[in-house]
Amino acid sequence: MIKDYLAKDILSLAKDVHQHYIDFIKSRNLDWPVVNWDDLSDDLKYSNIRQIEKIEDKLDFIDCYITNDPDDVNRIEQFNQTDCELLSIREHDDWVEERESSGWVYGLEKDLEKKMSPYMVSWNQLDELTKDIDRNAVEGIIPILNKRNIYVCKYPETTKDWIKPSYYCDSKIPLILAVTGHIDIPASEIKRIEDSLDELLGMIYDRYPNLDIIVMSALAEGADRIVAKWALGKGLFLAPIFPIPREEYVKTFDGIGYSSIEDSIRDFNEILDMDHVYSPLVLSGDRTNKVRSYRNLNFRFVVLH
């Protein structure tokens, strides 16, 4: 559910989003049709409203949030380049999902009647002008919200001597193997997983015998810990990464694969006390939503590494 002060202005904000798009067309001198809000089709009006409805989820994706407090110490005036690009990709993905739900499919040429579009593709397949449309939408978020006395803030990063080359591997560039997977993995499958990991490690060392390898894991129950324990058993380095502070993270464990939640927490702590384990990187995730914070961690760090 979106915040009340966002919901009450949602239509005005959607109109501002559309006007920002029109301003972009004019600024680029593009020979594209300019349609005022009142003349938009219902689905295009909804497309603008959708951007506002999902704005909190998108901001959470880059560790940001909204507030109506202009004096919030974490307030920002613009997104950094990395966050802007991540939000642009997310905006395109949301747009594709929205179109697919309305029956649109990929086509070489745009056809409104057949609901076909050449932009129903992944971000990397878009041309730069099309990407700039999404980037422009992202760049408009903060000024559009500010007009309605709504502000964007970014949680401060918390890092602790994490993944610095000179810290763990004599200034060589390491290979980072990031892991994510299912929680409920049958015990009968663990040996097969470890054998597959042994095979992968052998292939890497056959080609790069002197390579330093770091395994990145959130140490959630299931796949995260299976791979982490395997890595430490092989003498590899382990770089833990948590979506929220450690003392709150352990409260999200369900005890899956253990006799109790307490046993799961004990195992988690024992892994962190082992040799070759570095100080965890702790993100400022959503402390009220376990699924969202873990999802964002996986996409922003694990998948990207």
Side-chain angles (χ1 to χ4, degrees):
M1 181 177 295
I2 65 176
K3 290 183 171 60
D4 291 342
Y5 54 81
L6 186 67
K8 73 181 182 64
D9 278 333
I10 193 166
L11 186 58
S12 297
L13 287 164
K15 291 179 180 179
D16 290 343
V17 168
H18 180 62
Q19 185 59 49
H20 188 73
Y21 169 71
I22 291 175
D23 293 342
F24 170 77
I25 293 175
K26 293 179 178 178
S27 69
R28 293 293 187 94
N29 295 316
L30 298 172
D31 186 22
W32 294 356
V34 174
V35 182
N36 293 323
W37 176 267
D38 290 339
D39 298 322
L40 284 178
S41 61
D42 288 343
D43 64 322
L44 290 179
K45 286 181 179 178
Y46 171 72
S47 186
N48 289 285
I49 293 173
R50 185 265 307 162
Q51 291 187 49
I52 303 302
E53 286 180 334
K54 292 196 171 185
I55 203 163
E56 290 184 87
D57 281 342
K58 285 189 288 190
L59 291 176
D60 178 72
F61 181 63
I62 57 167
D63 290 335
C64 287
Y65 60 95
I66 61 171
T67 179
N68 56 1
D69 178 8
D71 298 319
D72 191 302
V73 296
N74 295 322
R75 181 179 169 183
I76 60 174
E77 298 299 330
Q78 63 182 20
F79 299 116
N80 62 45
Q81 185 174 358
T82 299
D83 286 348
C84 184
E85 196 72 359
L86 285 171
L87 285 179
S88 300
I89 296 171
R90 178 69 178 270
E91 173 56 34
H92 175 68
D93 289 345
D94 286 349
W95 178 86
V96 171
E97 182 180 328
E98 172 198 313
R99 284 292 187 268
E100 286 178 339
S101 67
S102 299
W104 283 74
V105 295
Y106 171 78
L108 292 177
E109 300 291 337
K110 188 171 183 178
D111 189 316
L112 295 177
E113 290 186 3
K114 295 181 180 179
K115 290 189 173 183
M116 300 176 69
S117 170
Y119 309 120
M120 301 286 290
V121 294
S122 67
W123 176 261
N124 290 333
Q125 294 174 280
L126 296 175
D127 59 83
E128 284 303 309
L129 177 58
T130 306
K131 289 180 179 180
D132 282 347
I133 296 174
D134 291 311
R135 291 172 181 140
N136 173 72
V138 169
E139 290 166 359
I141 290 174
I142 293 178
I144 287 172
L145 291 177
N146 286 355
K147 283 175 57 180
R148 308 290 172 178
N149 297 317
I150 303 172
Y151 310 98
V152 175
C153 304
K154 187 173 180 67
Y155 292 109
E157 292 287 346
T158 304
T159 58
K160 190 176 179 183
D161 291 329
W162 193 82
I163 307 259
K164 295 179 181 177
S166 60
Y167 179 59
Y168 54 77
C169 60
D170 300 326
S171 299
K172 292 186 291 184
I173 298 176
L175 172 67
I176 297 178
L177 298 179
V179 56
T180 184
H182 292 289
I183 294 176
D184 52 343
I185 294 179
S188 58
E189 290 294 302
I190 294 178
K191 179 63 166 59
R192 184 179 65 82
I193 293 171
E194 291 175 339
D195 288 344
S196 296
L197 291 169
D198 285 341
E199 183 178 352
L200 172 64
L201 188 64
M203 291 170 58
I204 293 173
Y205 278 151
D206 282 346
R207 182 169 295 187
Y208 309 106
N210 298 315
L211 186 66
D212 283 314
I213 298 177
I214 300 171
V215 170
M216 180 191 295
S217 171
L219 294 182
E221 294 159 338
D224 285 11
R225 293 190 200 173
I226 291 172
V227 178
K229 291 177 181 179
W230 167 84
L232 293 171
K234 297 295 180 181
L236 305 180
F237 298 96
L238 177 65
I241 176 171
F242 304 154
I244 53 179
R246 177 174 175 174
E247 62 275 11
E248 296 181 39
Y249 188 35
V250 296
K251 297 177 183 177
T252 68
F253 296 162
D254 297 315
I256 296 176
Y258 296 87
S259 59
S260 66
I261 294 176
E262 289 73 20
D263 282 344
S264 174
I265 295 174
R266 187 180 303 112
D267 184 47
F268 173 80
N269 289 329
E270 287 176 355
I271 293 173
L272 291 172
D273 288 338
M274 292 181 179
D275 293 334
H276 288 194
V277 179
Y278 298 104
S279 298
L281 172 65
V282 181
L283 305 185
S284 302
D286 185 344
R287 303 182 185 192
T288 65
N289 190 315
K290 170 186 174 181
V291 174
R292 180 189 297 169
S293 62
Y294 191 72
R295 179 199 66 198
N296 287 351
L297 177 149
N298 280 333
F299 184 84
R300 292 194 61 217
F301 281 88
V302 176
V303 174
L304 293 180
H305 281 79

